[in-house]
Amino acid sequence: MDSFITIRFKRKTAKRFQEFSKMHFKTHTEAMENILDFFLYNEISPKEKLGPTGRTIEAKLLKRINAVIAIMRDVEKTQTKPTVAMLQSLFVMEEPNKKPLIVEKKYAEEKKEVRFREIESMRFTNEERAKR
């Protein structure tokens, strides 16, 4: 069996370490070994800050993602949909509506309605019809 040694800590710090150790490890020795290994393996000092926490990074990422989504929706509304509509209208084959020309009254020809017409059969003889 390994021998133990006593280390003096302030009561408040010892209580914090005991609570931490109970939550994550089986024994206090295992907890202290893992803590020391973590700092040695990652070559960091316990005094330096590692930067923003995971929650703050996540919140910033969500804000940026929402901003990107808003930009994409705006591009879709203002650029993509109108462009697609214009391209589709180019491929649709429709006959243009023929609008009558607007002509001044003095140049417009009045169509005179013919009330009586001569019958062609009476106008030409059989020989003349054959020539036609």
Side-chain angles (χ1 to χ4, degrees):
M1 183 168 173
D2 290 334
S3 61
F4 290 91
I5 188 171
T6 58
I7 301 176
R8 294 171 52 116
F9 291 109
K10 291 184 179 178
R11 189 174 302 274
K12 184 178 173 184
T13 306
K15 288 288 183 190
R16 282 183 59 206
F17 178 74
Q18 286 174 340
E19 289 173 7
F20 175 80
S21 177
K22 284 181 185 177
M23 268 197 304
H24 298 287
F25 301 98
K26 292 179 182 177
T27 65
H28 298 311
T29 304
E30 187 181 343
M32 184 57 71
E33 285 177 350
N34 281 305
I35 291 169
L36 292 172
D37 290 343
F38 173 81
F39 288 112
L40 290 173
Y41 178 76
N42 292 307
E43 297 178 359
I44 56 174
S45 167
K47 293 180 180 178
E48 62 185 66
K49 294 277 185 185
L50 296 176
T53 64
R55 286 185 214 144
T56 57
I57 292 172
E58 182 183 9
K60 287 181 181 179
L61 282 175
L62 286 175
K63 285 181 183 177
R64 295 310 312 151
I65 289 171
N66 289 339
V68 168
I69 290 171
I71 290 168
M72 289 176 63
R73 285 184 180 160
D74 183 55
V75 166
E76 183 179 338
K77 285 180 187 175
T78 59
Q79 294 176 7
T80 308
K81 286 184 180 179
T83 304
V84 168
M86 288 178 3
L87 287 174
Q88 284 179 343
S89 69
L90 289 175
F91 291 110
V92 173
M93 299 296 275
E94 289 185 15
E95 291 184 26
N97 296 335
K98 293 184 179 179
K99 295 181 180 178
L101 295 176
I102 300 173
V103 183
E104 287 187 48
K105 286 186 179 179
K106 63 181 180 182
Y107 295 112
E109 296 178 19
E110 294 180 16
K111 292 185 179 180
K112 296 180 181 177
E113 190 175 319
V114 179
R115 297 180 93 189
F116 302 103
R117 290 189 178 205
E118 183 179 343
I119 300 175
E120 279 190 38
S121 61
M122 298 177 132
R123 206 164 128 193
F124 300 105
T125 62
N126 288 337
E127 292 174 4
E128 289 176 346
R129 279 190 204 141
K131 290 179 184 177
R132 280 180 126 195

